[in-house]
Amino acid sequence: MTYKIGFPRMGETYIGFAKLVELFGYDLALPDALSKKTIRLGVQHSPEYACWPFKISLGSTIEALEAGAEVIGTLGGSGPCRAGWYGELQRLILVEDLGFDIPHFYPMYHLNDVFKIAELGGTKSRYRALKCVKYAWDTMRTAEYFEKIAIKQRCREVNIGETTKVQNEVMKMLTETYEPAKLKQAKKKGTAMFESIETDKKMKPLKVGTVGEIFVVIDPFANLEIEKKLGNLGIEVDRSLYLTDWIWRELVMDYHPVTGYFAKKYLHDNAHGYLHEPVGGDALEGIAWINLYKEKGYDGVIEIGPFTCIPEIVTKSIIPTMSRDLDMPVQTYNIDEHTGEAGFITRLEAFGDLLSQRRDGVPLPTRDPVTGRFSSADFGAVEGKA
Amino acid sequence: MGKRVGIPRTLLYYYYYPQWNTFLRELGHEVVVSAPTSKRIVDEGVKLALNDACIPIKLYHGHVVDLLDKDVDAFFIPRYVSMDPGARMCPKFLGLPDIIRAKLEDQIPLYVDTKVDNRKRKHIEEKFYRGIAKQLGNNPSEAKLAFAKSQEVFEDFRRLLHTGMSYLDALQLYNAGKDLKAEYQARKDIDPFDHPLNDPEDPSQPRRLHFAVIGYVYLIYDDFINANLWKKMETLNVSLHTFDQVTEEALDYQTQRMHHDLFWMFSNRVVKGAFHFLHQDKIDGIIHITAFGCGPDAMTTKLIELEAKNRTHIPYMRVLLDEHTGDAGLMTRLESFTDMIRRRDSAAAKAQNLKETG
């Protein structure tokens, strides 16, 4: 008999995880894309002061259970950030508060937990399980590679909205690919599709890096599509955190075979002078990357964290001093279920204008961050209305 | 040459102060403690700290600012990463020296920010204290002696707490220079649940109630931020018991009730303390004190609530503190909680009477 498996969604990484469990031999009970309903479910059953990712992932897990999941794989860790305890607490809430019957609940603490899931799904051989992991890993890397291109290219597109369209297409293509050879083809094809987008080659956009807590940085729903909005405003974005990088560094090995450096030491060196201790979460990465973005000549940094995130409070406390010392504008965001989109957009636009004034002495061209359309500078003149 | 070392009167002051004080004095330094928390300190802290931070961190900023006026040579802001193997402190504690440094870099002459990280092996504390001595300009041999002495005092102090004495009372004894060993000998046979005012034979006297106060040391012992909890409960004829009065063995025993240990040392102890009191039928009620915006507490609260749900005969109340907590509102809540328990008592007694008489 094949089990149905579900897991909380997080950005585009779900493509890789879905691949993995399908190859293990499970039926997929994928929760719907994150939505208002996810938040409602999550907020309703979470402790009041749990952080935003906890609420989203709990809501998403409940949706997976509603879709018929019998096996749940979810987040785990070693602290001191709260994220490592998500799995345990969610199990308590789901079983004791909500009365779900979940015989197989696996928070991922270690690679062994992956093997446990593989065994339950019918992949007894570890060699085969590792092969599945390798394939899922490559899928995830490819998805991230496409995301990287998209957020870099969106600000340069001539026909507004084309990048997003292509991005959705290539992601769909990835979900339908099941063989390593086809994956390589898909990567080539996707790259070509991105290249075929007509872009303004002469444009010199502002460059902004995003740092912060990994869930809200990666997940477009959780960060109110900040990367897309920045792109629509005409700003090139670089993301400091990708899930595969994080997994490699924290769970597999510190030494990075491609770049050839010891990531933890590298980050530590770059955060030096401001933060001397990895305080959990992504605080050290955040501080180090602000430094790195300065070195790389970026115009500004945006720091995003969930409300009451402990490590991000450390980062946010240090940022004002750092920003002053480095002469680098840094904008910080706290996001939770009460964050309003209008206020969020206003702050983003103001930051864009500030950066533009700093560099070129003129404000950014007036564009709508949601649609990307150029709009009239007159206040109140809305397209399509009298 | 002795220095004036400033210690903020908050956070781990309420746990390690006797050890720090003994150690620094043995090395020939003068210890200056910031003033007890007041409105001014809270305001200073709120002004300086990040507005999303929890109230204890804001208070810490306030206490450091208070020390700035006291002509202090060195600020004692150690980095407590881990004391129990396998558990760490809250991330904010880990980053505390860096946070303070970012805010007040130029104004602080010398940071004592040695780190203690006991995750992998035991008995690393001596190294930590040697590091402190080095930063203050003392040599290692002095440090070794001072550490041995401070460790002894600290152990006596903890033992005194385990007899059921509150930290604040024990601290008074320590500050008055009393012999802690003798005090322990005098108290060791007294049952903390047996109060001299409590006379079970005399029904006209209201029964002395025993509550457990669950929460971090810097909340339950700071009289300003918890709005004078201890004095209030004394007027309501209630004794309070805290998790640091429970021996480590008893806390470890509670591990069996948890799927997985928490990552944070004090949260672990608080949760296990709560479980200990919930499963010990000497307690009439539990008050859980937590701070607004406290990260680990978002997790521990749920754990304690779920366990309290299974032990319904022990009433449980959660009090959330922040810089706006009003004295009157808290008093009302505590009074009604106590009244509710007393009423339940008398109702049970009436029912018992009815049963006996007929």
Side-chain angles (χ1 to χ4, degrees):
Chain A
M1 144 207 186
T2 47
Y3 287 103
K4 277 188 122 179
I5 192 168
F7 50 85
R9 277 168 89 122
M10 170 178 176
E12 305 286 6
T13 59
Y14 80 93
I15 299 174
F17 290 126
K19 278 280 128 63
L20 181 65
V21 291
E22 274 181 305
L23 291 173
F24 281 165
Y26 286 97
D27 282 343
L28 204 58
L30 196 66
D32 301 333
L34 302 177
S35 64
K36 286 253 163 66
K37 187 187 159 217
T38 322
I39 302 180
R40 194 174 51 75
L41 283 172
V43 169
Q44 193 180 348
H45 301 298
S46 300
E48 195 178 350
Y49 295 106
C51 43
W52 184 218
F54 181 91
K55 292 174 182 173
I56 296 183
S57 55
L58 181 66
S60 197
T61 311
I62 295 174
E63 282 185 319
L65 286 166
E66 283 171 353
E70 296 152 299
V71 186
I72 292 286
T74 188
L75 300 105
S78 60
C81 166
R82 278 180 282 179
W85 236 75
Y86 280 8
E88 288 303 321
L89 195 61
Q90 285 176 354
R91 183 203 331 240
L92 281 176
I93 291 173
L94 290 169
V95 174
E96 297 203 8
D97 259 8
L98 299 177
F100 280 109
D101 178 32
I102 318 169
H104 307 290
F105 192 94
Y106 296 105
M108 296 290 140
Y109 291 111
H110 197 258
L111 194 64
N112 265 341
D113 295 307
V114 178
F115 289 134
K116 270 186 215 158
I117 288 189
E119 210 161 298
L120 189 68
T123 309
K124 294 275 193 302
S125 140
R126 292 216 160 177
Y127 175 70
R128 267 195 59 206
L130 275 177
K131 261 186 127 173
C132 300
V133 170
K134 170 79 172 64
Y135 180 72
W137 177 266
D138 286 342
T139 313
M140 230 194 266
R141 292 288 285 188
T142 316
E144 284 174 358
Y145 166 77
F146 287 144
E147 275 187 288
K148 211 178 236 175
I149 298 179
I151 59 176
K152 216 177 166 85
Q153 197 165 326
R154 190 174 281 115
C155 60
R156 293 192 177 83
E157 66 190 7
V158 175
N159 300 323
I160 291 154
E162 212 172 333
T163 312
T164 312
K165 223 171 83 193
V166 170
Q167 191 183 354
N168 292 341
E169 273 171 36
V170 292
M171 293 303 174
K172 204 168 156 239
M173 196 165 72
L174 278 186
T175 32
E176 287 159 3
T177 313
Y178 283 92
E179 286 161 39
K182 292 244 172 80
L183 184 67
K184 269 185 189 161
Q185 276 174 22
K187 190 174 176 180
K188 253 186 206 159
K189 200 177 155 201
T191 317
M193 277 163 81
F194 273 112
E195 274 166 8
S196 70
I197 298 174
E198 196 183 338
T199 54
D200 183 355
K201 294 259 166 21
K202 281 185 196 149
M203 185 183 177
K204 283 214 178 76
L206 290 164
K207 289 204 275 186
V208 162
T210 55
V211 302
E213 197 274 338
I214 191 159
F215 194 103
V216 288
V217 169
I218 286 180
D219 193 291
F221 180 76
N223 62 30
L224 306 173
E225 301 193 312
I226 192 167
E227 287 160 348
K228 196 172 151 196
K229 281 178 179 140
L230 283 170
N232 283 340
L233 283 171
I235 299 173
E236 185 186 316
V237 189
D238 186 73
R239 194 195 281 175
S240 62
L241 288 158
Y242 285 95
L243 189 67
T244 50
D245 289 346
W246 187 88
I247 291 177
W248 190 269
R249 184 175 70 233
E250 301 292 328
L251 306 177
V252 185
M253 61 166 142
D254 192 11
Y255 182 75
H256 199 289
V258 180
T259 47
Y261 58 70
F262 288 93
K264 276 185 192 155
K265 187 176 178 299
Y266 185 62
L267 291 173
H268 221 284
D269 289 351
N270 273 297
H272 199 74
Y274 295 102
L275 189 59
H276 300 83
E277 177 74 25
V279 300
D282 310 293
L284 192 75
E285 285 89 328
I287 296 290
W289 271 97
I290 292 174
N291 224 336
L292 285 169
Y293 280 133
K294 178 71 192 173
E295 273 173 30
K296 292 180 179 186
Y298 275 66
D299 297 291
V301 175
I302 288 182
E303 189 268 352
I304 327 165
F307 178 60
T308 74
C309 173
I310 325 174
E312 289 310 308
I313 282 176
V314 178
T315 321
K316 284 190 171 83
S317 301
I318 296 171
I319 278 176
T321 317
M322 222 180 155
S323 170
R324 195 187 60 218
D325 291 357
L326 296 177
D327 189 26
M328 179 79 162
V330 184
Q331 194 180 30
T332 59
Y333 284 98
N334 266 328
I335 297 187
D336 70 353
E337 66 269 24
H338 303 298
T339 306
E341 196 171 11
F344 181 79
I345 287 174
T346 311
R347 286 194 63 200
L348 263 190
E349 286 173 333
F351 189 61
D353 280 343
L354 181 139
L355 295 184
S356 179
Q357 289 274 15
R358 239 172 85 94
R359 198 187 67 174
D360 309 330
V362 288
L364 279 177
T366 328
R367 287 176 76 176
D368 181 359
V370 180
T371 58
R373 286 202 201 95
F374 285 86
S375 57
S376 154
D378 290 339
F379 184 73
V382 183
E383 233 173 285
K385 279 189 187 167
Chain B
M1 175 199 70
K3 288 194 172 74
R4 276 169 71 84
V5 182
I7 298 181
R9 192 192 290 263
T10 182
L11 299 190
L12 295 178
Y13 164 86
Y14 291 108
Y15 201 84
Y16 289 114
Y17 176 69
Q19 186 166 17
W20 294 345
N21 187 37
T22 312
F23 179 75
L24 294 170
R25 273 169 199 268
E26 285 293 310
L27 290 179
H29 301 296
E30 193 184 339
V31 174
V32 183
V33 184
S34 63
T37 312
S38 60
K39 185 88 184 79
R40 193 184 67 84
I41 287 182
V42 175
D43 287 346
E44 290 284 352
V46 170
K47 228 189 288 172
L48 188 65
L50 186 80
N51 54 7
D52 305 321
C54 58
I55 178 69
I57 295 294
K58 288 178 183 169
L59 275 183
Y60 199 87
H61 283 73
H63 280 281
V64 173
V65 171
D66 184 65
L67 282 173
L68 286 176
D69 312 332
K70 294 203 166 163
D71 187 28
V72 175
D73 301 321
F75 280 65
F76 193 74
I77 311 175
R79 196 193 297 274
Y80 272 83
V81 176
S82 158
M83 290 299 287
D84 289 355
R88 273 184 263 189
M89 299 277 183
C90 167
K92 284 177 210 165
F93 281 46
L94 269 58
L96 203 52
D98 294 317
I99 295 176
I100 298 292
R101 199 186 289 262
K103 300 279 179 195
L104 297 166
E105 175 131 47
D106 328 326
Q107 300 175 47
I108 290 184
L110 174 67
Y111 284 90
V112 180
D113 60 352
T114 314
K115 129 177 152 179
V116 52
D117 188 349
N118 198 10
R119 255 175 299 166
K120 298 268 161 63
R121 62 200 162 101
K122 290 185 171 182
H123 309 302
I124 207 166
E125 266 173 278
E126 191 178 342
K127 200 175 148 203
F128 164 62
Y129 280 97
R130 272 215 305 275
I132 292 173
K134 196 178 166 197
Q135 280 193 313
L136 287 168
N138 294 92
N139 63 41
S141 57
E142 277 177 307
K144 199 169 180 184
L145 287 175
F147 171 71
K149 174 86 176 132
S150 74
Q151 192 73 347
E152 193 192 332
V153 168
F154 189 60
E155 270 162 24
D156 289 343
F157 189 83
R158 303 284 346 149
R159 211 160 48 180
L160 196 57
L161 290 188
H162 293 161
T163 64
M165 192 183 248
S166 93
Y167 180 88
L168 297 175
D169 293 343
L171 198 62
Q172 264 181 11
L173 289 180
Y174 169 79
N175 283 338
K178 292 267 169 58
D179 183 9
L180 299 179
K181 280 199 178 74
E183 293 288 337
Y184 171 70
Q185 289 301 335
R187 288 183 55 98
K188 72 174 180 187
D189 297 323
I190 303 175
D191 182 6
F193 292 94
D194 188 25
H195 195 270
L197 283 177
N198 188 14
D199 184 7
E201 303 300 314
D202 181 8
S204 66
Q205 283 277 347
R207 189 167 72 89
R208 180 87 178 174
L209 294 178
H210 294 273
F211 285 1
V213 190
I214 299 300
Y216 300 120
V217 282
Y218 44 81
L219 294 174
I220 56 180
Y221 291 129
D222 191 328
D223 276 341
F224 183 83
I225 203 68
N226 64 25
N228 250 329
L229 177 79
W230 292 77
K231 282 215 185 80
K232 266 176 197 157
M233 295 320 275
E234 194 55 53
T235 61
L236 295 172
N237 196 13
V238 177
S239 304
L240 296 180
H241 303 270
T242 58
F243 79 92
D244 58 354
Q245 294 168 357
V246 183
T247 56
E248 305 221 341
E249 294 77 48
L251 289 180
D252 278 343
Y253 178 72
Q254 300 298 328
T255 311
Q256 53 171 326
R257 298 190 208 282
M258 296 166 76
H259 271 285
H260 195 283
D261 259 4
L262 287 156
F263 308 133
W264 313 285
M265 169 189 163
F266 278 106
S267 309
N268 239 334
R269 292 192 179 183
V270 164
V271 170
K272 285 176 187 171
F275 285 10
H276 172 86
F277 287 123
L278 277 170
H279 288 271
Q280 181 199 39
D281 287 328
K282 289 173 175 169
I283 289 288
D284 298 299
I286 288 198
I287 302 176
H288 182 198
I289 296 194
T290 150
F292 176 79
C294 175
D297 262 4
M299 304 269 149
T300 58
T301 309
K302 194 79 199 174
L303 277 177
I304 298 173
E305 267 176 21
L306 285 172
E307 191 70 21
K309 246 189 203 172
N310 298 335
R311 311 277 299 168
T312 36
H313 60 288
I314 300 178
Y316 165 87
M317 175 169 82
R318 178 153 72 99
V319 177
L320 187 73
L321 300 175
D322 68 1
E323 60 265 40
H324 312 296
T325 302
D327 211 32
L330 188 62
M331 186 68 193
T332 313
R333 287 191 65 192
L334 292 174
E335 271 173 7
S336 59
F337 187 68
T338 319
D339 281 353
M340 177 196 82
I341 290 169
R342 286 200 189 284
R343 279 220 189 144
R344 202 176 69 159
D345 253 23
S346 59
K350 259 184 205 162
Q352 187 71 23
N353 263 341
L354 272 177
K355 220 181 189 179
E356 276 168 13
T357 52

